[in-house]
Amino acid sequence: MFISVEDSAPCFKGFTLILPAVSVGNVGQLAVDLIVSTLNLQRVGYFHTDCLIPMVGNNPYSTSSEDSLQLSTNAEVYWCKDLKLAVLQIRSPLIQTKTRSFRKMVVSWIKSSGFAKTVLLSSSHAYQRDDRQILGSPLRYLLTPALREQVTALEQLGWTEMEKISAFPGVMDSDSQRLCIPGGGVTKALYTDCCTEGVSMAVMLLFCSEGDNVPDAIALANHLNDWLHLLDPPAQGSVPWRIPSSWKLLFGSGVPPTIF
């Protein structure tokens, strides 16, 4: 459940919620890091749940030695009241046997908080694309029925809706078409739950491979900004995303010279 760090819980009514799926390359989580760091969002609460692998660490967005001592957990909520924006950052994988409980908790919180819309940032294995998905942009989107009015706006941005693929190779009739998001973690199931519960959700995902996924995260954050206008881009060039201090150790601390 959500626990506020203040005595009174924040009001999220009418806000936009952004959250990541723990998926291939951790692209959604890295994109959320960029949003929280760049917008300097305020931490307002966290989730107390046994559905995620326990984790605690130093402040991943520290800008000085003083605030680096603040502890962070596996699921924290940040916001910007002026932008009416809330972000749920998830930092550890789901426990497999408790995936359904986690989805139920998230959907219940979204509905009870009164969010205007929710955006799930995710990714999918590039090597499992079908022929139609190989060419063009690696970005795909999905909209629940409650948010279908955004279709025109997303099409004007040049985005492509996630294609359904045939459950049986060579059979192209509509009855055999199904949504497939390999490597997407909880993405498909959470999207399906939101469709059933009438939640206004958009899924944004990129096809990618494991490795250095920082460029993928920046690309996904740029696409999100094109739609939601969280930051005003400069006249020329890309959005100046602020790299979090925790990314200094994204690939470890390097090889100790004493081993040579």
Side-chain angles (χ1 to χ4, degrees), residues 92-139:
S92 67
L94 280 164
I95 296 174
Q96 190 172 3
T97 57
K98 297 186 177 182
T99 301
R100 181 175 295 181
S101 298
F102 178 78
R103 294 184 347 240
K104 184 177 180 180
M105 177 189 67
V106 170
V107 172
S108 176
W109 179 63
I110 291 173
K111 295 178 68 174
S112 64
S113 298
F115 288 107
K117 62 176 174 289
T118 300
V119 182
L120 179 65
L121 303 180
S122 185
S123 52
S124 183
H125 284 301
Y127 74 89
Q128 289 190 255
R129 291 173 292 176
D130 71 1
D131 292 344
R132 294 171 299 168
Q133 297 169 335
I134 292 177
L135 299 177
S137 170
L139 174 75

Side-chain angles (χ1 to χ4, degrees), residues 1-10 12 35-37 39-48 55-62 67-81 85-89 91 109:
M1 62 178 175
F2 173 74
I3 298 177
S4 173
V5 297
E6 302 292 342
D7 294 335
S8 59
F12 297 115
I35 294 168
V36 174
S37 178
L39 296 177
N40 196 25
L41 300 185
Q42 176 189 355
R43 178 176 175 267
V44 292
Y46 61 93
F47 271 89
H48 178 67
M55 187 224 78
V56 66
N58 289 346
N59 181 9
Y61 311 117
S62 64
D67 65 359
S68 65
L69 300 179
Q70 176 185 326
L71 293 180
S72 61
T73 60
N74 53 11
E76 295 186 312
V77 179
Y78 302 80
W79 82 341
C80 177
K81 196 171 183 179
L85 174 71
V87 170
L88 167 60
Q89 176 62 301
R91 298 191 176 96
W109 179 63

Side-chain angles (χ1 to χ4, degrees), residues 31-237:
V32 167
D33 268 352
L34 290 172
I35 294 168
V36 174
S37 178
T38 305
L39 296 177
N40 196 25
L41 300 185
Q42 176 189 355
R43 178 176 175 267
V44 292
Y46 61 93
F47 271 89
H48 178 67
T49 175
D50 61 354
C51 299
L52 296 167
I53 293 176
M55 187 224 78
V56 66
N58 289 346
N59 181 9
Y61 311 117
S62 64
T63 56
S64 65
S65 58
E66 289 78 13
D67 65 359
S68 65
L69 300 179
Q70 176 185 326
L71 293 180
S72 61
T73 60
N74 53 11
E76 295 186 312
V77 179
Y78 302 80
W79 82 341
C80 177
K81 196 171 183 179
D82 294 338
L83 292 176
K84 301 197 77 173
L85 174 71
V87 170
L88 167 60
Q89 176 62 301
I90 300 171
R91 298 191 176 96
S92 67
L94 280 164
I95 296 174
Q96 190 172 3
T97 57
K98 297 186 177 182
T99 301
R100 181 175 295 181
S101 298
F102 178 78
R103 294 184 347 240
K104 184 177 180 180
M105 177 189 67
V106 170
V107 172
S108 176
W109 179 63
I110 291 173
K111 295 178 68 174
S112 64
S113 298
F115 288 107
K117 62 176 174 289
T118 300
V119 182
L120 179 65
L121 303 180
S122 185
S123 52
S124 183
H125 284 301
Y127 74 89
Q128 289 190 255
R129 291 173 292 176
D130 71 1
D131 292 344
R132 294 171 299 168
Q133 297 169 335
I134 292 177
L135 299 177
S137 170
L139 174 75
R140 292 295 185 274
Y141 76 88
L142 288 167
L143 296 175
T144 60
L147 201 61
R148 290 301 297 181
E149 73 273 6
Q150 292 290 330
V151 168
T152 301
L154 298 186
E155 288 179 345
Q156 289 176 348
L157 290 172
W159 294 9
T160 303
E161 189 167 6
M162 186 68 174
E163 302 90 346
K164 292 184 177 180
I165 65 173
S166 177
F168 308 99
V171 179
M172 298 302 294
D173 62 280
S174 58
D175 292 336
S176 69
Q177 301 291 302
R178 61 187 177 91
L179 184 63
C180 185
I181 308 177
V186 75
T187 302
K188 178 182 175 181
L190 185 56
Y191 167 76
T192 303
D193 290 344
C194 289
C195 289
T196 303
E197 295 290 333
V199 174
S200 299
M201 172 181 275
V203 177
M204 291 180 55
L205 63 87
L206 279 176
F207 295 117
C208 69
S209 301
E210 293 279 6
D212 182 359
N213 295 103
V214 170
D216 297 315
I218 293 175
L220 188 60
N222 282 334
H223 283 301
L224 179 67
N225 191 63
D226 289 342
W227 178 32
L228 298 184
H229 305 293
L230 303 175
L231 290 167
D232 293 326
Q236 293 182 343

